[in-house]
Amino acid sequence: MRTSLRRRGRGLSAALCAAAAALALVALPAGAQAADPDAQARKKAPAVTAAGVPERPAPGPSPDPALPVHALAAADAPVDNPLKGFARFYQPGGNQNAGYPHSLTWAYFGLSEVMNSGSNCGSYDWSVLDSALREIAQAGHQAAIRFYMEYPGGTGTHPANAIPPCFAGKVANRENTYWGTTSPDYDSPYLRTALKDFIAAFGARYDGDPRLGYIHLGLVGLWGEWHTWPYDTDTAGDSYPNYMPTDANGAELLHAYNTAFKKTRLEVRYPESAGGAANSLPAIGYHDDSFCYREGSPAAGVTLPVSMGGAPWAQLQKAVEQGVENKWTTASMGGEVRPEIQSTAFADWPGGTGSVDNMKACVELEHTTWKINERSGEYAADDPKVGAAVRLMGYDLGVRNAYFHSTAQGSTKVGVQIANNGVAPFYYPWEVSLGLKDGDGNLVKTWKTSWDLRKVMPLKIRAFPDWGVGSDPTYLDYGRPYYFDTTVDLSAVSAGDYQLVMKAKNPLEDVSPAAKKLRFANAGQQADGWLDLGGMSVGAGQGNDPKSYEAEAAGNTLAGGAVTAECAGCSGGAKVGYLGNGATLTFNGVDGGSGGTRTTVHYATATARSATVRAGNGTAQTVQFGPTADWWTTSTATVRLNLQAGTGNSVTIANPSGWAPDIDRITVG
């Protein structure tokens, strides 16, 4: 029979009685698990309904072939990148940046501290939360928080019994004699209405607040962890009555949160909480409070699934049974490294030993973004094993290539290709900007883009053994390097040499000058958040971005049987075909800029073909055109033509001895 649960509770009680010198230990939540595991094991296990291999996202846009490529050198990203890695407990007045580098701070709040009116449940005093968020932000961190109503022994700074006083006489209370807490009737209509009103007010005030990173739904059960063990739904193997709300009533609270918070990320304890109500809500993730721990005799993991030595009640086993093991694609995965193993959890990275399960597998299969880890304060900042684990957690974004003209003027296009080597996407739509820095490092110009980092999905994912796609570990291709581009206006920039830079702005920077910057895994990443993309010389006059010329344009010359045809996949919805064997297409009025500009041919051909490309009366060059998916999907081929300055150029495409591909357009620049 498992006894660690009871030992854990006693350890917590002892810590709560400790002197002020042990305050960090007092803060450890050390919450109990969902139910007596022995009783759970006696239940008939539900049929496994794993979702299986997730559908691979569609490829993003292809890099613009007219833009020169600038490869960027890779480097390790910092371990205190925002919204990922470890969180330590909020201690008012404490140094939140002590210990292992991190960017998150975890805080509990008793509901009665906000709903503190004895007569009006609709009156909210947010001062306790505002004070904490203000101090956390001043340290440069985002907060991860939870509200609770029952916390064995309290936190030392927040109450053990946090049932709002306005519930008195209206909501029945029950005693949890095992933990010494008072448990309200979670099925009370009065309580449910009051909690839903609180959630609505909470969201109206704080949704999208840049000081908040994650909200655990809380409110229900011990520590707000959505269990009341041993007074829980499993009453068959013990004498304890059930203090949990019905699934339907619990689901009301989940849906209230889902309605109230459209921006800030939400997490609930278990996939089966409230009958799995969160499983159909894409924005609500899960919060594994016993991350990567092994317990019992024989030892079994409480994160990894049964197929990997996990217990029947393990977090990922429940996720597999609920078919939500891929929920990470839309929602964050948080939680806590189990307190008993926090000091040694990464000592045997990438594996584990004793009570520490296979840590790398836990991170990869859960797609962990962040974990409470109070004992991380004891880690060396340069510990390579911890660093490897933290960089793998959540997002790990690196710019592989930048695309731009090193000499530009007027308006010019800039692109980047970003890859994600982490286990999860970035979950927030932070604003991405481009800029120019002068030789002294001063930012002289910025441009906002519409680039959305949430589109950059992990390149690889680890397969569950339950999927049956290979022996463990099997890694599957998932995301791809994602290409973004935009056009920037250089007309207001003085001529000179600059550094082209890019930044994803943490909105906390508008609140706190100490805000942690999102930094890319590149050697050119600067501490101020700006990433060097390469040098750019800006001149006066018109831009040299590529100009596009449609094959079907009225000013072109079609000869020898060449015809215009509809093409759904082509620019302008049309192309010119039946080229070759005497038929030609001539683009007239082509602007060669200052001369010597290259030409990119956009074409479609279901079979490999060749064609000659000639500028004016110059020498024709033979170009090979590889096959495209069909006659409506385009690709590109580039040829350097000796164009003259100005707009008096012509470009002719032909094939004197065979068929040429269909032509969509050319771009020159």
Side-chain angles (χ1 to χ4, degrees), residues 181-207:
T181 62
T182 300
S183 197
D185 178 5
Y186 291 107
D187 288 319
S188 160
Y190 188 89
L191 174 144
R192 285 157 39 213
T193 297
L195 292 188
K196 288 184 288 186
D197 289 346
F198 164 78
I199 293 166
F202 185 18
R205 184 178 177 91
Y206 292 101
D207 186 30

Short mmCIF file of all heavy atoms in Angstrom, two decimals, residues 181-207:
data_model
loop_
_atom_site.label_atom_id
_atom_site.label_comp_id
_atom_site.label_asym_id
_atom_site.label_seq_id
_atom_site.Cartn_x
_atom_site.Cartn_y
_atom_site.Cartn_z
N THR A 181 -8.95 20.47 7.79
CA THR A 181 -9.48 21.63 7.05
C THR A 181 -11.00 21.62 7.06
O THR A 181 -11.63 20.61 7.34
CB THR A 181 -9.00 21.61 5.59
OG1 THR A 181 -9.51 20.44 4.94
CG2 THR A 181 -7.49 21.63 5.50
N THR A 182 -11.55 22.78 6.76
CA THR A 182 -13.00 22.91 6.58
C THR A 182 -13.29 22.96 5.10
O THR A 182 -12.72 23.77 4.36
CB THR A 182 -13.51 24.19 7.26
OG1 THR A 182 -13.22 24.12 8.66
CG2 THR A 182 -15.01 24.34 7.05
N SER A 183 -14.19 22.09 4.67
CA SER A 183 -14.49 21.96 3.25
C SER A 183 -15.91 22.45 3.01
O SER A 183 -16.86 21.91 3.57
CB SER A 183 -14.36 20.49 2.84
OG SER A 183 -14.25 20.34 1.46
N PRO A 184 -16.11 23.50 2.20
CA PRO A 184 -17.47 23.96 1.95
C PRO A 184 -18.22 22.98 1.05
O PRO A 184 -17.61 22.15 0.37
CB PRO A 184 -17.25 25.30 1.25
CG PRO A 184 -15.96 25.13 0.52
CD PRO A 184 -15.12 24.26 1.42
N ASP A 185 -19.52 23.11 1.04
CA ASP A 185 -20.35 22.29 0.15
C ASP A 185 -20.20 22.84 -1.27
O ASP A 185 -20.81 23.83 -1.63
CB ASP A 185 -21.80 22.35 0.59
CG ASP A 185 -22.72 21.57 -0.33
OD1 ASP A 185 -22.22 20.90 -1.26
OD2 ASP A 185 -23.95 21.64 -0.14
N TYR A 186 -19.36 22.17 -2.05
CA TYR A 186 -19.07 22.67 -3.40
C TYR A 186 -20.26 22.54 -4.35
O TYR A 186 -20.24 23.11 -5.44
CB TYR A 186 -17.86 21.93 -3.99
CG TYR A 186 -16.56 22.25 -3.30
CD1 TYR A 186 -15.94 21.32 -2.45
CD2 TYR A 186 -15.93 23.48 -3.49
CE1 TYR A 186 -14.74 21.62 -1.83
CE2 TYR A 186 -14.73 23.78 -2.87
CZ TYR A 186 -14.14 22.85 -2.03
OH TYR A 186 -12.95 23.14 -1.41
N ASP A 187 -21.29 21.80 -3.93
CA ASP A 187 -22.49 21.68 -4.76
C ASP A 187 -23.55 22.71 -4.40
O ASP A 187 -24.60 22.76 -5.04
CB ASP A 187 -23.08 20.27 -4.63
CG ASP A 187 -22.24 19.22 -5.33
OD1 ASP A 187 -21.75 19.50 -6.44
OD2 ASP A 187 -22.06 18.12 -4.76
N SER A 188 -23.29 23.52 -3.39
CA SER A 188 -24.26 24.54 -2.97
C SER A 188 -24.54 25.51 -4.11
O SER A 188 -23.62 26.09 -4.69
CB SER A 188 -23.72 25.31 -1.77
OG SER A 188 -24.38 26.54 -1.63
N PRO A 189 -25.81 25.72 -4.46
CA PRO A 189 -26.12 26.71 -5.50
C PRO A 189 -25.61 28.10 -5.15
O PRO A 189 -25.15 28.83 -6.04
CB PRO A 189 -27.65 26.67 -5.58
CG PRO A 189 -28.02 25.31 -5.07
CD PRO A 189 -27.02 25.00 -4.00
N TYR A 190 -25.66 28.46 -3.87
CA TYR A 190 -25.18 29.77 -3.45
C TYR A 190 -23.67 29.88 -3.70
O TYR A 190 -23.19 30.88 -4.24
CB TYR A 190 -25.48 29.99 -1.97
CG TYR A 190 -25.19 31.39 -1.49
CD1 TYR A 190 -26.16 32.38 -1.55
CD2 TYR A 190 -23.94 31.72 -0.97
CE1 TYR A 190 -25.88 33.67 -1.12
CE2 TYR A 190 -23.65 33.01 -0.54
CZ TYR A 190 -24.63 33.97 -0.61
OH TYR A 190 -24.35 35.26 -0.18
N LEU A 191 -22.93 28.85 -3.31
CA LEU A 191 -21.49 28.85 -3.53
C LEU A 191 -21.17 28.89 -5.02
O LEU A 191 -20.29 29.66 -5.46
CB LEU A 191 -20.87 27.61 -2.89
CG LEU A 191 -19.38 27.36 -3.13
CD1 LEU A 191 -18.72 26.75 -1.89
CD2 LEU A 191 -19.15 26.42 -4.33
N ARG A 192 -21.84 28.09 -5.81
CA ARG A 192 -21.53 28.04 -7.24
C ARG A 192 -21.77 29.40 -7.90
O ARG A 192 -20.96 29.86 -8.72
CB ARG A 192 -22.35 26.95 -7.91
CG ARG A 192 -21.82 25.56 -7.59
CD ARG A 192 -22.87 24.46 -7.74
NE ARG A 192 -23.74 24.63 -8.87
CZ ARG A 192 -25.03 24.24 -8.88
NH1 ARG A 192 -25.54 23.66 -7.80
NH2 ARG A 192 -25.76 24.42 -9.94
N THR A 193 -22.86 30.04 -7.54
CA THR A 193 -23.14 31.37 -8.10
C THR A 193 -22.06 32.36 -7.69
O THR A 193 -21.57 33.15 -8.50
CB THR A 193 -24.52 31.86 -7.66
OG1 THR A 193 -25.52 30.99 -8.17
CG2 THR A 193 -24.78 33.27 -8.17
N ALA A 194 -21.70 32.33 -6.41
CA ALA A 194 -20.68 33.26 -5.91
C ALA A 194 -19.34 33.03 -6.59
O ALA A 194 -18.63 33.98 -6.94
CB ALA A 194 -20.55 33.12 -4.39
N LEU A 195 -18.96 31.77 -6.78
CA LEU A 195 -17.68 31.48 -7.43
C LEU A 195 -17.69 31.90 -8.89
O LEU A 195 -16.70 32.43 -9.40
CB LEU A 195 -17.35 29.99 -7.31
CG LEU A 195 -17.03 29.46 -5.91
CD1 LEU A 195 -16.53 28.02 -5.99
CD2 LEU A 195 -16.02 30.33 -5.18
N LYS A 196 -18.78 31.66 -9.59
CA LYS A 196 -18.85 32.08 -10.99
C LYS A 196 -18.81 33.60 -11.11
O LYS A 196 -18.18 34.14 -12.03
CB LYS A 196 -20.10 31.50 -11.65
CG LYS A 196 -20.01 29.99 -11.90
CD LYS A 196 -21.20 29.44 -12.64
CE LYS A 196 -22.44 29.38 -11.77
NZ LYS A 196 -23.57 28.71 -12.46
N ASP A 197 -19.45 34.30 -10.17
CA ASP A 197 -19.38 35.76 -10.17
C ASP A 197 -17.95 36.23 -9.89
O ASP A 197 -17.46 37.20 -10.49
CB ASP A 197 -20.33 36.35 -9.13
CG ASP A 197 -21.80 36.20 -9.53
OD1 ASP A 197 -22.07 35.89 -10.71
OD2 ASP A 197 -22.67 36.38 -8.65
N PHE A 198 -17.28 35.55 -8.97
CA PHE A 198 -15.88 35.89 -8.67
C PHE A 198 -15.00 35.69 -9.90
O PHE A 198 -14.17 36.54 -10.24
CB PHE A 198 -15.35 35.04 -7.52
CG PHE A 198 -13.86 35.04 -7.40
CD1 PHE A 198 -13.20 36.11 -6.83
CD2 PHE A 198 -13.10 33.98 -7.89
CE1 PHE A 198 -11.80 36.13 -6.75
CE2 PHE A 198 -11.72 33.98 -7.81
CZ PHE A 198 -11.07 35.07 -7.24
N ILE A 199 -15.18 34.56 -10.58
CA ILE A 199 -14.37 34.27 -11.76
C ILE A 199 -14.59 35.33 -12.84
O ILE A 199 -13.63 35.79 -13.48
CB ILE A 199 -14.70 32.86 -12.30
CG1 ILE A 199 -14.23 31.79 -11.30
CG2 ILE A 199 -14.05 32.63 -13.67
CD1 ILE A 199 -14.80 30.41 -11.58
N ALA A 200 -15.84 35.74 -13.02
CA ALA A 200 -16.14 36.77 -14.01
C ALA A 200 -15.45 38.09 -13.65
O ALA A 200 -14.88 38.76 -14.52
CB ALA A 200 -17.64 36.97 -14.13
N ALA A 201 -15.50 38.46 -12.38
CA ALA A 201 -14.85 39.70 -11.94
C ALA A 201 -13.33 39.58 -12.04
O ALA A 201 -12.64 40.54 -12.42
CB ALA A 201 -15.27 40.01 -10.51
N PHE A 202 -12.81 38.43 -11.71
CA PHE A 202 -11.38 38.15 -11.81
C PHE A 202 -10.91 38.35 -13.24
O PHE A 202 -9.91 39.03 -13.52
CB PHE A 202 -11.15 36.72 -11.32
CG PHE A 202 -9.74 36.25 -11.22
CD1 PHE A 202 -8.66 37.13 -11.18
CD2 PHE A 202 -9.47 34.88 -11.13
CE1 PHE A 202 -7.35 36.67 -11.07
CE2 PHE A 202 -8.16 34.41 -11.01
CZ PHE A 202 -7.11 35.32 -11.00
N GLY A 203 -11.63 37.75 -14.19
CA GLY A 203 -11.26 37.89 -15.59
C GLY A 203 -11.40 39.30 -16.10
O GLY A 203 -10.55 39.79 -16.86
N ALA A 204 -12.49 39.99 -15.71
CA ALA A 204 -12.70 41.35 -16.17
C ALA A 204 -11.57 42.27 -15.74
O ALA A 204 -11.21 43.22 -16.45
CB ALA A 204 -14.04 41.87 -15.64
N ARG A 205 -10.98 42.00 -14.59
CA ARG A 205 -9.93 42.86 -14.06
C ARG A 205 -8.53 42.45 -14.55
O ARG A 205 -7.68 43.32 -14.79
CB ARG A 205 -9.97 42.83 -12.53
CG ARG A 205 -8.97 43.77 -11.85
CD ARG A 205 -9.11 43.70 -10.34
NE ARG A 205 -8.14 44.53 -9.66
CZ ARG A 205 -8.32 45.80 -9.31
NH1 ARG A 205 -9.47 46.39 -9.59
NH2 ARG A 205 -7.38 46.48 -8.68
N TYR A 206 -8.28 41.16 -14.73
CA TYR A 206 -6.91 40.71 -14.93
C TYR A 206 -6.64 39.97 -16.23
O TYR A 206 -5.48 39.68 -16.52
CB TYR A 206 -6.49 39.80 -13.77
CG TYR A 206 -6.37 40.53 -12.46
CD1 TYR A 206 -7.38 40.44 -11.51
CD2 TYR A 206 -5.26 41.31 -12.17
CE1 TYR A 206 -7.28 41.11 -10.30
CE2 TYR A 206 -5.15 41.99 -10.97
CZ TYR A 206 -6.16 41.89 -10.03
OH TYR A 206 -6.06 42.56 -8.84
N ASP A 207 -7.65 39.64 -17.02
CA ASP A 207 -7.37 38.90 -18.24
C ASP A 207 -6.46 39.74 -19.15
O ASP A 207 -6.77 40.88 -19.47
CB ASP A 207 -8.66 38.56 -18.98
CG ASP A 207 -8.41 37.67 -20.19
OD1 ASP A 207 -7.44 36.87 -20.16
OD2 ASP A 207 -9.18 37.75 -21.16
#
